């Protein structure tokens, strides 16, 4: 499977995009979060994707830097679908076969799904919303619920955020290995069963521990690189990816975060740039 980091920054970054990523294989494309604006369209384009390539979407929570990009993605899919519908009508009149409509699945906990639907209904034109409501399947998932996505078992779990309700997920890889996304808050021991001994763990790291006094991660309920790496080491994680970072260290972020993190984590440590591709 291929993972493309469409964005790696926290909510207030300007020199990179907010954290979101795509997982894909021969079974389709799975987008996790959308960042905070229509820059998601540029990021997808630069990564070689179109919104119409997306089959499944999961939105972790309703913060601006995660959910607003999804509005743009769905709008783009809608407009492309409506254009295709017009072309189909012309084709049918010409005796050609009608092309099937694109169907999209969007997963999230109840608050996310209700907010998404409400925003789309208010912001889209009526005919656009009618198209979206027909071809987009908004799926509410519960804590511990398992779904089949890209032909694999994906279990959603409540990270028990101290702020707004937020879900992460655990995807089953080959040979029973686990790929785990913990959202954008520190690991909570209540989700240990999902995270422990995972092959891949995606964990936020707001800043270097050496710069905690500058960026104040704890008051925002975030981790430092040291914190995330100590957690992953204690839980037997083999591959740790750090994201949702500040952007003031961006030119040297990979080197600085790797240098600090490698002192506390013995597995493989990844500090990706926007649009970087990894294989999982």
């Amino acid at each position: 499977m291929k993972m493309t980091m469409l964005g790696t920054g926290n909510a207030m970054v300007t020199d990179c995009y907010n954290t979101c990523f795509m997982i894909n294989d021969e079974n389709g494309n799975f987008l996790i979060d959308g960042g905070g604006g229509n820059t998601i369209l540029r990021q997808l384009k630069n990564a070689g994707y179109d919104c119409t390539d997306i089959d499944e979407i999961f939105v972790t929570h309703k913060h601006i830097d995660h959910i607003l990009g999804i509005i743009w993605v769905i709008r783009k899919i809608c407009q492309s679908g409506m254009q295709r519908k017009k072309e189909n009508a012309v084709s049918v009149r010409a005796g050609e076969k009608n092309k099937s409509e694109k169907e999209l699945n969007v997963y999230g906990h109840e608050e996310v799904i209700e907010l998404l639907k409400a925003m789309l209904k208010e912001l889209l034109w009526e005919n656009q919303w009618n198209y979206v409501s027909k071809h987009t399947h908004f799926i509410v998932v519960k804590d511990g619920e398992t779904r089949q996505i890209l032909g694999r078992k994906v279990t959603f779990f409540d990270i028990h955020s101290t702020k707004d309700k937020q879900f992460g997920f655990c995807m089953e890889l080959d040979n029973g290995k686990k790929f785990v996304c913990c959202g954008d808050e520190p690991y909570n021991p209540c989700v240990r069963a999902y995270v422990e001994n995972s092959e891949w763990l995606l964990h936020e790291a707001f800043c270097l521990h050496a710069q905690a006094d500058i960026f104040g991660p704890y008051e925002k309920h975030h981790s430092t690189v040291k914190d995330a790496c100590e957690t992953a080491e204690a839980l037997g994680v083999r591959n740790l990816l750090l994201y949702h970072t500040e952007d003031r260290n961006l030119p040297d972020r990979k080197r600085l975060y790797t240098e600090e993190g490698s002192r506390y984590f013995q597995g493989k440590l990844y500090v990706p740039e926007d649009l970087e591709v990894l294989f999982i």
Side-chain angles (χ1 to χ4, degrees):
M1 299 183 73
K2 183 171 77 172
M3 175 170 59
T4 303
M5 298 304 302
L6 299 169
T8 56
N10 65 36
M12 300 304 293
V13 295
T14 55
D15 292 333
C16 59
Y17 190 52
N18 312 124
T19 295
C20 52
F21 58 98
M22 180 94 85
I23 300 173
N24 75 292
D25 63 10
E26 68 277 5
N27 295 308
N29 300 297
F30 179 28
L31 175 66
I32 295 85
D33 287 338
N38 74 348
T39 298
I40 184 64
L41 305 181
R42 184 189 69 190
Q43 296 300 88
L44 286 165
K45 178 181 177 181
N46 289 342
Y49 297 102
D50 186 86
C51 288
T52 56
D53 296 327
I54 298 169
D55 303 290
E56 318 268 1
I57 295 175
F58 171 53
V59 185
T60 59
H61 60 302
K62 61 183 184 181
H63 286 177
I64 290 172
D65 57 315
H66 295 264
I67 198 169
L68 289 189
I70 301 301
I71 300 296
W72 288 97
V73 168
I74 293 176
R75 176 180 171 177
K76 180 71 181 297
I77 293 172
C78 165
Q79 290 183 183
S80 297
M82 292 175 72
Q83 179 60 34
R84 186 170 56 250
K85 192 173 183 179
K86 291 180 182 178
E87 293 170 356
N88 276 340
V90 173
S91 298
V92 169
R93 287 197 295 270
E96 299 175 9
K97 185 177 180 180
N98 193 12
K99 298 177 182 177
S100 61
E101 296 288 344
K102 172 76 175 183
E103 302 292 316
L104 175 69
N105 293 327
V106 181
Y107 304 89
H109 61 69
E110 185 175 12
E111 293 177 16
V112 162
I113 295 300
E114 290 306 311
L115 180 58
L116 264 178
K117 289 166 66 176
M119 287 194 295
L120 287 163
K121 188 173 182 179
E122 288 295 322
L123 296 173
L124 296 179
W125 296 341
E126 184 177 0
N127 63 336
Q128 292 175 329
W129 168 244
N130 289 338
Y131 184 91
V132 167
S133 60
K134 182 177 180 180
H135 297 289
T136 302
H137 309 287
F138 295 97
I139 302 167
V140 173
V141 291
K142 305 292 186 181
D143 182 26
E145 182 174 348
T146 297
R147 293 272 180 167
Q148 286 285 330
I149 298 177
L150 303 187
R152 298 175 184 273
K153 291 182 179 179
V154 174
T155 303
F156 300 97
F157 57 85
D158 191 334
I159 71 167
H160 296 274
S161 169
T162 58
K163 298 185 287 189
D164 288 310
K165 187 174 183 179
Q166 181 171 173
F167 275 20
F169 71 91
C170 176
M171 174 179 278
E172 186 177 290
L173 302 177
D174 297 334
N175 302 317
K177 295 178 180 179
K178 298 186 295 183
F179 174 95
V180 181
C181 167
C182 276
D184 75 349
E185 292 193 18
Y187 161 78
N188 188 320
C190 68
V191 300
R192 185 183 187 104
Y194 298 108
V195 178
E196 191 169 30
N197 298 319
S198 54
E199 185 70 15
W200 283 88
L201 173 63
L202 277 56
H203 197 288
E204 56 85 30
F206 199 79
C207 64
L208 294 164
H209 195 75
Q211 294 182 328
D213 58 333
I214 298 173
F215 293 103
Y218 303 126
E219 65 191 50
K220 303 175 183 71
H221 200 64
H222 288 304
S223 305
T224 66
V225 172
K226 175 179 180 287
D227 299 329
C229 288
E230 286 182 331
T231 293
E233 182 68 20
L235 292 169
V237 172
R238 284 170 281 281
N239 297 276
L240 173 63
L241 186 148
L242 302 180
Y243 60 18
H244 203 266
T245 78
E246 47 77 29
D247 63 346
R248 279 188 261 171
N249 287 303
L250 200 59
D252 299 308
R253 179 179 63 178
K254 187 185 290 285
R255 176 180 61 82
L256 292 172
Y257 281 40
T258 301
E259 286 176 356
E260 180 171 282
S262 61
R263 297 200 292 270
Y264 307 99
F265 178 66
Q266 300 305 307
K268 292 184 178 180
L269 180 60
Y270 298 86
V271 184
E273 308 289 354
D274 284 14
L275 302 179
E276 189 167 333
V277 173
L278 300 96
F279 292 90
I280 58 177

